[in-house]
């Protein structure tokens, strides 16, 4: 995990609200994401994670409250916010007709980088894609495409990266590849807000975990702090520590039976 600095938050949300007609999605979200940290935003499907991400990327305007990125207001300073951030969505935004290197060179040219070829080669090496760089992306695995997508999002040096459920639909091996790419971002000091519904993903990657439920952040802390919300582990033959899934279900007031019923 990355080191957390004591500087002002890279992302600050205060009283953020958003509704779609009668549907109240965000009901007053408060959240800080410290510079250079990885914060996982956990929530069930429909909890409002993507809505929050869209507000931070200036694609949606909030109904109330404030949101800032690197001290820039997303409502009044949208252009500068977009220069500061990068977004990787739920599906890889890569051109399968082009090679991996050609995808990177294209984006580098669009972002007016002085040496697009050098930028592409450096990112291919950084994300362990150099050997496949000359092949069309259509021949790549899902994990390789997602790593390329993340690599493309880093061109231009964004200080904040927003990942909206980046491992949705990937097999376990591909998920591990993407996890490794996210760890590398954190190690290099990039601020990452990771929206996910996978509890193990948050447990393995995040410095802090925020749980979004009912339109609000109902729990926010390190994994150890969240586990401390539950009673101490029972000791029978071995100590059984609560999992992040136990914490998540407890703070939203659900039980395993409830989640099984929703899946039917």
């Amino acid at each position: 995990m990355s080191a957390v600095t004591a500087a002002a938050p890279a992302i600050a949300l205060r009283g953020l609200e958003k509704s779609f007609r009668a549907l109240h999605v965000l009901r007053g979200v408060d959240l800080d994401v410290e510079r250079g940290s990885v914060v996982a935003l956990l929530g069930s499907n429909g909890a409002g994670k993507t809505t929050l991400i869209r507000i931070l990327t200036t694609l949606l305007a909030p109904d109330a409250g404030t949101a800032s990125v690197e001290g820039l207001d997303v409502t009044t300073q949208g252009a500068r916010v977009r220069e500061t951030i990068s977004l990787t969505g739920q599906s890889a935004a890569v051109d399968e007709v082009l090679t991996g290197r050609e995808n990177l060179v294209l984006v580098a040219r669009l972002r007016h980088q002085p040496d697009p070829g050098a930028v592409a080669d450096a990112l291919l090496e950084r994300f362990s894609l150099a050997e496949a760089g000359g092949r069309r992306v259509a021949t790549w695995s899902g994990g390789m495409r997602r790593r390329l997508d993340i690599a493309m999002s880093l061109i231009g040096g964004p200080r904040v990266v927003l990942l909206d459920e980046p491992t949705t639909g990937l097999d376990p091996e591909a998920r591990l590849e993407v996890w490794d790419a996210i760890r590398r971002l954190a190690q290099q000091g990039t601020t990452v807000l990771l929206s996910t519904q996978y509890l193990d993903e948050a447990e393995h990657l995040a410095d802090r975990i925020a749980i979004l439920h009912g339109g609000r952040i109902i729990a926010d802390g390190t994994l150890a702090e969240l586990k401390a919300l539950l009673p101490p582990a029972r000791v029978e033959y071995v100590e059984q520590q609560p999992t992040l899934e136990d914490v998540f279900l407890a703070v939203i007031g659900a039980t395993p039976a409830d989640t099984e019923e929703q899946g039917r």
Side-chain angles (χ1 to χ4, degrees), residues 139-152:
T139 68
W140 287 20
S141 69
M144 293 170 67
R145 294 182 199 188
R146 295 301 283 161
R147 281 151 56 201
L148 177 63
D149 193 22
I150 294 173
M152 290 165 61

Side-chain angles (χ1 to χ4, degrees), residues 9-67:
I11 297 174
L13 309 178
R14 297 290 181 271
L16 203 64
E17 298 182 16
K18 184 63 183 180
S19 298
F20 299 94
R21 296 185 179 179
L23 179 61
H24 301 294
V25 179
L26 303 178
R27 299 170 177 263
V29 172
D30 297 309
L31 180 66
D32 284 339
V33 177
E34 301 300 327
R35 298 174 191 272
S37 69
V38 179
V39 172
L41 182 64
L42 273 182
S44 307
N45 282 334
K49 301 186 301 296
T50 296
T51 297
L52 193 153
I53 294 289
R54 293 184 69 194
I55 289 173
L56 286 173
T57 56
T58 75
L59 297 174
L60 270 181
D63 296 332
T66 62

Side-chain angles (χ1 to χ4, degrees), residues 150-214:
I150 294 173
M152 290 165 61
S153 73
L154 296 183
I155 294 175
R159 297 192 294 275
V160 176
V161 173
L162 307 172
L163 303 176
D164 187 12
E165 302 194 18
T167 61
T168 296
L170 296 183
D171 60 45
E173 184 178 5
R175 287 182 70 206
L176 292 176
E177 292 178 0
V178 174
W179 286 8
D180 184 60
I182 295 171
R183 289 190 186 99
R184 294 186 189 188
L185 289 181
Q187 290 167 359
Q188 295 175 5
T190 304
T191 302
V192 178
L193 178 60
L194 168 67
S195 162
T196 183
Q197 58 181 317
Y198 298 126
L199 305 183
D200 59 336
E201 190 159 276
E203 192 165 1
H204 281 86
L205 296 175
D207 295 304
R208 297 185 67 83
I209 299 163
I211 298 177
L212 180 63
H213 182 71

